[in-house]
Amino acid sequence: MQTLRLVDQDGYTVPGTVQTNIPDANVDKVRDHLLNDIAPIQAAKWADFGHDARLYRVVPD
């Protein structure tokens, strides 16, 4: 089981994106969801400050 979180380009955890107790078989699916679905939405909210979804990353805890 793993814990993943989406981190913005400044190193801050995006609120509401900490995913806990992910079975190893689902890690890639959750990572893809965070990067492809959540990161663009979050980056758009902060676009005026230069945020870019391509610079977001998923990190394990």
Side-chain angles (χ1 to χ4, degrees):
M1 300 294 246
Q2 294 189 33
T3 298
L4 299 175
R5 59 190 171 104
L6 182 64
V7 177
D8 70 16
Q9 63 197 47
D10 296 324
Y12 293 102
T13 298
V14 176
T17 64
V18 176
Q19 304 290 312
T20 59
N21 298 321
I22 303 167
D24 292 339
N26 295 347
V27 168
D28 290 336
K29 182 178 178 180
V30 171
R31 182 183 313 275
D32 288 345
H33 169 69
L34 291 172
L35 290 173
N36 297 319
D37 299 330
I38 305 300
I41 294 168
Q42 186 66 24
K45 293 178 184 178
W46 295 95
D48 290 345
F49 299 97
H51 280 236
D52 183 334
R54 295 172 294 181
L55 299 176
Y56 283 52
R57 56 191 162 82
V58 174
V59 296
D61 280 342

